[in-house]
Amino acid sequence: SASGKAATAGVIWYNFADTFISNARQTLNNVAATDGTIKITDADSQNDTTIQDNNMNNIFTQHPDFFVLNNINNAATSQIVQSCKSEGITTIFANTTSPSDDDFANYDDLWYVSSASEQSGENMGNEIVDYFKSHDNWDRNGNGKVDYILLQGIPTFSDTINRSSYSLAQIEGAGYTLGTCIGGENVTGVKGGDVINGIICDFQRAKAQENVEALLAGYGNDIDCILADNDDEALGAIAA
């Protein structure tokens, strides 16, 4: 900062218990500690919008130079942006659904940092296709269709929507026919960005494991593959 003191940042993560978030948090804190030019105060929203609101209020009372939000309250994004503008805090929405064009037009000090979830979805689909191509026995019930479990993250997250839809679109694009979405709603002709209704696990390992255990008991011989919207859900499926 201009005064020579370390800049300050308030960071709110949606859930410390999420494996990816835990690693990202630790990495950010380690970099800040090593660099020494910024001091971080962070908080855990515990996947609860009310707790997120309380965390924001606490951060604002500290008047940091920067505010980083791993937002879970997408319905309130514009309101959150307006609050940050009123506080005069440089604001970064991180690893969440992007604010709208109007939000960015409303506040010049608003930024967005995230992964390319469309590419993530395509990579998921490509991995499935590569497996099918190298395993002639992939079609477990012999119906000529891909019967699958789709474990999804938080419903309103763009990562959930894009990873779910782009993965299925990639499988169809490779010439495979989608069959039963086990535990969810069947779809065909999927396009990237479509809203798909699979099994909501909120990016949580325990929920994924519980759902997959139940579905394996009832549909074990009909499941050709399992797609998961994040690492924790994949690990939950493996544990099942």
Side-chain angles (χ1 to χ4, degrees):
S1 66
S3 66
K5 295 180 180 178
T8 55
V11 182
I12 298 177
W13 300 102
Y14 98 92
N15 192 354
F16 285 179
D18 182 293
T19 301
F20 175 81
I21 294 301
S22 176
N23 290 334
R25 177 196 178 211
Q26 191 61 57
T27 299
L28 182 63
N29 289 346
N30 288 345
V31 169
T34 301
D35 182 77
T37 60
I38 190 164
K39 181 179 179 181
I40 290 177
T41 299
D42 61 15
D44 181 7
S45 293
Q46 301 174 48
N47 201 25
D48 187 309
T49 56
T50 300
I51 296 176
Q52 175 177 288
D53 290 343
N54 292 336
N55 286 336
M56 286 178 55
N57 291 333
N58 291 334
I59 291 290
F60 288 166
T61 63
Q62 300 172 38
H63 305 293
D65 300 302
F66 300 93
F67 174 51
V68 181
L69 180 62
N70 181 212
N71 183 37
I72 54 173
N73 192 0
N74 292 324
T77 295
S78 294
Q79 180 182 342
I80 293 170
V81 171
Q82 185 59 47
S83 296
C84 295
K85 181 180 180 180
S86 298
E87 293 290 332
I89 303 174
T90 298
T91 301
I92 303 168
F93 276 67
N95 198 54
T96 184
T97 299
S98 174
S100 68
D101 290 344
D102 288 342
D103 292 326
F104 283 107
N106 180 45
Y107 189 32
D108 290 339
D109 238 352
L110 176 65
W111 303 84
Y112 176 62
V113 177
S114 190
S115 60
S117 55
E118 299 90 347
Q119 184 182 58
S120 298
E122 290 175 352
N123 290 341
M124 289 163 60
N126 285 335
E127 289 297 323
I128 295 294
V129 169
D130 288 346
Y131 179 86
F132 287 169
K133 287 180 176 179
S134 62
H135 294 76
D136 292 336
N137 61 343
W138 68 264
D139 186 5
R140 293 167 61 87
N141 62 12
N143 67 354
K145 299 179 180 180
V146 179
D147 303 309
Y148 59 97
I149 295 173
L150 175 61
L151 305 174
Q152 297 187 287
I154 297 172
T156 58
F157 267 35
S158 57
D159 283 356
T160 296
I161 295 169
N162 289 333
R163 291 172 187 169
S164 298
S165 60
Y166 278 86
S167 60
L168 295 178
Q170 203 73 7
I171 292 170
E172 284 193 303
Y176 295 91
T177 300
L178 296 179
T180 302
C181 179
I182 298 167
E185 295 183 6
N186 298 343
V187 290
T188 57
V190 178
K191 298 180 180 62
D194 286 352
V195 175
I196 311 297
N197 294 313
I199 301 171
I200 299 300
C201 297
D202 294 323
F203 296 130
Q204 296 180 27
R205 186 183 308 193
K207 286 187 178 181
Q209 181 174 346
E210 179 182 358
N211 278 285
V212 172
E213 284 176 348
L215 293 174
L216 285 174
Y219 301 91
N221 293 327
D222 293 314
I223 302 169
D224 298 318
C225 63
I226 300 174
L227 297 102
D229 280 345
N230 82 330
D231 296 346
D232 267 340
E233 290 176 350
L235 291 169
I238 292 169

